[in-house]
Amino acid sequence: MPTLFTKIIQREIPAEIVYEDEHVVAFRDIDPKAPVHVLIVPRTEIPGLADLPDDGDHRHILNAAKTIAERLGLTGGYRLVFNQGPDAGQTVDHLHAHLLGGRQLGWPPG
Ligand code: AMP
């Protein structure tokens, strides 16, 4: 059973895709928490960060984040968040990074 994000990657569910390469696809979050809120998702179905193999997709996710932030003009800074498991409020079991920016971001996060 493909994940929700795989269905977006395969264009079965619509989303505003802002970036893609052979490793990852990035699209705007449907419920944005900042003026820029993009999800960066590896094409490979990995349930979460805890399942990422040592030679996994992390470099591609980070490279994509840097590229997207530059393209979207986040010159003042941005934040990259991985929600892992129930304590972090993970709702979609397909590894993804939240790229947030476009406003002053509070710290510590909730
Ligand atoms: P997480 O809580 O870290 O698992 O993040 C899942 C994110 O997916 C949430 O921020 C949701 O708003 C977002 N989301 C859920 N469904 C969609 C969708 N169809 N298109 C874009 N983003 C979605």
Side-chain angles (χ1 to χ4, degrees), residues 33 81-93 96 98 110:
K33 302 297 189 284
V81 174
F82 292 86
N83 290 325
Q84 168 59 45
D87 280 2
Q90 183 178 5
T91 58
V92 178
D93 290 335
H96 54 282
H98 297 253

Side-chain angles (χ1 to χ4, degrees), residues 13-79:
I13 293 176
E16 187 184 341
I17 293 174
V18 298
Y19 173 89
E20 64 182 316
D21 61 29
E22 67 177 297
H23 302 287
V24 304
V25 176
F27 48 88
R28 295 200 190 262
D29 196 292
I30 201 169
D31 183 18
K33 302 297 189 284
V36 172
H37 186 173
V38 169
L39 303 174
I40 305 169
V41 183
R43 292 181 184 275
T44 311
E45 283 192 356
I46 299 164
L49 198 58
D51 306 285
L52 183 65
D54 290 344
D55 61 349
D57 278 309
H58 44 289
R59 181 166 54 89
H60 306 301
I61 295 169
L62 296 180
N63 286 345
K66 187 176 70 164
T67 300
I68 295 163
E70 287 169 4
R71 287 187 186 175
L72 297 183
L74 297 177
T75 53
Y78 50 90
R79 185 171 294 161

